[in-house]
């Protein structure tokens, strides 16, 4: 893919929370073992390991690191290190400073990074992709998630994709809470005619319900082709019990908002999280 070398070059940055060096070392070892001499060159920007309270460095440091690697023509792809929180605090002006080199890249991540993927998609910059991140290697069985992401980046492996991606309809995928928060902001892309997949983790069911209310009540979201529900995991206990499942909630609000409910999607905050490139993927 790279115009500078035959070896794929991937830059890793952390617009939200920091990752540990030992996790980065495990990712590098996995890539080397999986691909041998054909392994991509994965470069972890030093910013990934900074600490500024909750964040991987200050807002300025995180913004500068992202801009640096995005505009570097030596890299073919940007792989976001991990989620957490912080992507919305990046310097908003950096998107206007992204170069033609930035427009040629794949950008891979999920969770909090849905904010950045959405803005890139809105601005038609590069190829935003929802999928596993390096820090997923810390999950039990996380090597499979990281390998899936690498297989997509290195060889575009169709087995890594969420199955409905190959049906030819434009798609996008988000953490449910992040999608709810970005609607109506300068980060919201035009998702008219798209199948929108959503997933979430570690939320109370009433918050899942509230997010679905917001999403399905937003006029722009009533122009989508429909919603697919990924996994909603580690739901926090309600007192009293909410009494409904995530699918009950999705069906209720889709029905009330006139948005098609299209069933389940194979995405989530887990090692089974499949790849969803935004837009339309050509069917081979």
């Amino acid at each position: 893919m790279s115009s500078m070398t035959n070896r794929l070059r991937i830059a890793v940055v952390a617009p939200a929370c920091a990752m540990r060096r030992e996790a980065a070392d495990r990712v590098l070892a996995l890539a080397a073992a999986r691909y041998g001499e054909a392994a991509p060159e994965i470069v972890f920007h030093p910013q990934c390991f900074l600490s500024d309270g909750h964040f991987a460095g200050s807002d300025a440091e995180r913004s500068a690191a992202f801009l640096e690697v995005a505009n570097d023509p030596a890299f073919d792809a940007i792989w976001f290190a991990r989620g957490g929180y912080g992507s919305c605090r990046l310097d908003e002006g950096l998107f206007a400073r992204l170069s033609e080199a930035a427009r040629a890249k794949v950008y891979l991540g999920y969770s909090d990074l849905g904010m950045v993927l959405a803005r890139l998609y809105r601005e038609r910059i590069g190829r935003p992709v929802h999928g596993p991140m390096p820090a997923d290697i810390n999950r039990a069985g996380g090597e499979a998630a990281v390998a899936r992401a690498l297989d997509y980046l290195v060889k575009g492996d169709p087995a890594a994709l969420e199955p409905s991606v190959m049906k030819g309809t434009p798609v996008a995928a988000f953490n449910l809470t992040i999608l709810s928060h970005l609607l109506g902001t300068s980060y919201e892309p035009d998702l008219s005619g798209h199948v929108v997949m959503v997933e979430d983790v570690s939320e109370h069911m009433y918050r899942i319900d509230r997010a679905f209310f917001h999403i399905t009540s937003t006029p722009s979201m009533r122009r989508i082709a429909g919603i697919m529900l990924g996994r909603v995991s580690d739901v926090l206990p309600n007192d009293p019990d909410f009494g409904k499942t995530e699918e009950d909630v999705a069906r209720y609000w889709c029905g009330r908002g006139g948005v098609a409910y299209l069933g389940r999607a194979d995405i989530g905050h887990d090692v089974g999280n499949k790849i969803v490139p935004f837009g339309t993927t050509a069917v081979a």
Side-chain angles (χ1 to χ4, degrees):
M1 291 176 61
S2 174
S3 59
M4 307 291 289
T5 175
N6 291 328
R7 189 181 182 196
L8 184 75
R9 300 192 77 229
I10 303 168
V12 182
V13 288
C17 296
M19 70 178 300
R20 297 176 179 175
R21 290 185 184 275
E22 53 265 34
D25 291 341
R26 290 174 61 198
V27 170
L28 295 174
L30 185 153
R34 191 170 185 83
Y35 293 103
E37 293 183 357
E41 182 180 357
I42 304 173
V43 178
F44 285 85
H45 193 287
Q47 173 270 323
C48 293
F49 312 110
L50 297 180
S51 178
D52 184 356
H54 178 86
F55 309 106
S58 67
D59 295 347
E61 288 170 320
R62 300 195 319 281
S63 299
F66 175 72
L67 189 64
E68 176 190 337
V69 296
N71 282 347
D72 189 338
F75 291 113
D76 304 291
I78 305 299
W79 197 10
F80 298 118
R82 60 161 294 183
Y85 170 70
S87 299
C88 66
R89 295 175 61 101
L90 294 179
D91 174 11
E92 189 168 354
L94 72 81
F95 293 96
R97 300 198 298 275
L98 292 173
S99 67
E100 286 304 308
R103 294 178 180 275
K105 290 177 171 57
V106 171
Y107 297 83
L108 177 60
Y110 73 111
S111 189
D112 190 66
L113 276 304
M115 191 71 67
V116 177
L117 298 179
R119 184 59 179 268
L120 292 169
Y121 197 52
R122 175 190 174 106
E123 305 295 342
R124 299 182 180 181
I125 296 171
R127 179 65 154 156
V129 179
H130 178 283
M133 297 182 286
D136 282 318
I137 204 162
N138 292 322
R139 300 183 187 275
E143 293 84 358
V146 172
R148 184 181 309 114
L150 287 171
D151 285 349
Y152 173 77
L153 290 171
V154 173
K155 56 184 181 180
D157 184 6
L161 299 174
E162 204 286 333
S164 62
V165 165
M166 298 302 290
K167 294 182 179 178
T169 301
V171 296
F174 295 96
N175 172 268
L176 178 74
T177 300
I178 295 299
L179 177 60
S180 178
H181 287 174
L182 65 83
L183 293 180
T185 74
S186 60
Y187 285 76
E188 180 184 355
D190 182 2
L191 297 173
S192 301
H194 287 60
V195 171
V196 178
M197 305 178 197
V198 293
E199 54 78 31
D200 219 320
V201 65
S202 299
E203 296 284 357
H204 294 87
M205 191 56 67
Y206 77 85
R207 292 186 175 180
I208 300 297
D209 192 79
R210 180 191 290 151
F212 264 106
F213 153 71
H214 182 210
I215 289 166
T216 58
S217 300
T218 300
S220 60
M221 291 299 291
R222 290 182 172 179
R223 297 194 293 269
I224 67 175
I227 286 177
M228 294 184 71
L229 178 63
R231 289 176 288 281
V232 177
S233 54
D234 297 332
V235 175
L236 300 176
N238 270 39
D239 184 15
D241 185 71
F242 194 74
K244 298 188 183 302
T245 68
E246 68 269 23
E247 189 156 17
D248 293 333
V249 167
R251 288 182 180 275
Y252 173 80
W253 285 112
C254 284
R256 182 162 157 173
V259 177
Y261 176 70
L262 302 175
R264 304 304 298 249
D266 194 6
I267 63 170
H269 267 69
D270 53 38
V271 298
N273 189 24
K274 293 294 180 63
I275 304 284
V276 181
F278 284 34
T280 304
T281 298
V283 179

